[in-house]
Amino acid sequence: MDRWPRRLLVVALALLLLTAGALTSVYMLPVSWGLGPCLKDWTSPSSYRARTSPLETLRFALGEGHVQVCYGRPSARNRTVFGRLVPYGQLWRTGATEPTRLYTDVPLSVAGIEVPPGRYSLYSVPGEGEWTVALNRSTFHWGLDFSEGVLRQEVGRAVVPADTTRAHVETFTIREEPPGGGGQMVGLVLEWERTRVVIPVRARPAPGGRGEE
């Protein structure tokens, strides 16, 4: 093969890998190389239209690593949210637009669901007194895709209590308690309207490690 065609082939392959990485939020790279940015899913036509629910990034330290949450932030806008806009008893993408995605470079226990380092979508089933949270290995799909292929990749489910907030929360918010993390465990706080849900997230020892002291 001549030198120039070979160079063009290398350049084409490099561009293909870069494009794939951008489209999938660095989906193809090992998590240990970095959690990557929170990017829109440009494979969906919805990503090319103006969004009323901005994409938000939450990042905090946990154990010896980091956790990152990417989610869309819808607003109530004088609507009744839970029980109407977001029905009780139905699977919800825990935000807007893409599914809420959780990236971790350390092993985690999420409400008792044990997962290795990786990329996951975080779904939920809201209820009046408790929520069911679900982790799924599929992150490269639109948030409302509840197809058999997506559901088949579910890792596990757990139930957490639902509480009320002191004041109205206009825009859906996910934050960590304590702020910044840094310890072995945080509460992943979900708040919207007058509803507050706390998902316990704990760093687990890596396989073959010394364990928690």
Side-chain angles (χ1 to χ4, degrees):
M1 182 181 292
D2 294 338
R3 182 170 58 184
W4 278 108
R6 183 178 299 171
R7 288 182 177 178
L8 290 175
L9 179 61
V10 171
V11 170
L13 288 173
L15 289 174
L16 179 63
L17 289 173
L18 287 172
T19 302
L23 288 175
T24 60
S25 193
V26 203
Y27 181 82
M28 300 177 67
L29 296 178
V31 180
S32 59
W33 289 18
L35 300 182
C38 288
L39 300 179
K40 295 180 181 179
D41 177 8
W42 291 107
T43 63
S44 172
S46 299
S47 291
Y48 296 87
R49 299 194 294 264
R51 294 190 175 199
T52 57
S53 303
L55 187 61
E56 183 69 25
T57 301
L58 170 67
R59 185 183 175 102
F60 55 89
L62 188 64
E64 298 181 355
H66 294 84
V67 174
Q68 181 168 289
V69 179
C70 306
Y71 69 105
R73 300 191 66 198
S75 295
R77 299 196 296 276
N78 295 317
R79 298 173 294 180
T80 298
V81 176
F82 294 108
R84 183 168 298 179
L85 179 64
V86 178
Y88 289 134
Q90 294 185 21
L91 200 62
W92 181 45
R93 54 188 156 182
T94 322
T97 59
E98 294 87 358
T100 291
R101 292 160 288 174
L102 185 149
Y103 300 170
T104 174
D105 55 11
V106 291
L108 294 182
S109 171
V110 181
I113 307 169
E114 296 189 351
V115 293
R119 298 169 173 85
Y120 304 92
S121 53
L122 175 64
Y123 283 97
S124 55
V125 181
E128 293 187 66
E130 62 183 24
W131 283 28
T132 298
V133 296
L135 291 180
N136 194 301
R137 291 187 183 88
S138 177
T139 59
F140 190 35
H141 64 276
W142 196 243
L144 291 177
D145 182 357
F146 303 136
S147 63
E148 182 180 346
V150 170
L151 296 178
R152 197 165 47 234
Q153 298 185 60
E154 189 172 291
V155 178
R157 295 190 176 200
V159 176
V160 294
D163 203 349
T164 57
T165 61
R166 294 182 178 180
H168 175 82
V169 178
E170 172 64 19
T171 303
F172 178 59
T173 302
I174 300 179
R175 57 186 176 84
E176 79 282 14
E177 287 184 349
Q184 292 293 322
M185 185 172 178
V186 301
L188 198 61
V189 181
L190 283 58
E191 292 177 322
W192 196 15
E193 199 181 32
R194 294 302 298 268
T195 297
R196 169 187 165 94
V197 173
V198 181
I199 304 172
V201 179
R202 178 175 58 86
R204 296 189 299 115
R210 295 172 56 189
E212 297 180 9
E213 300 179 350

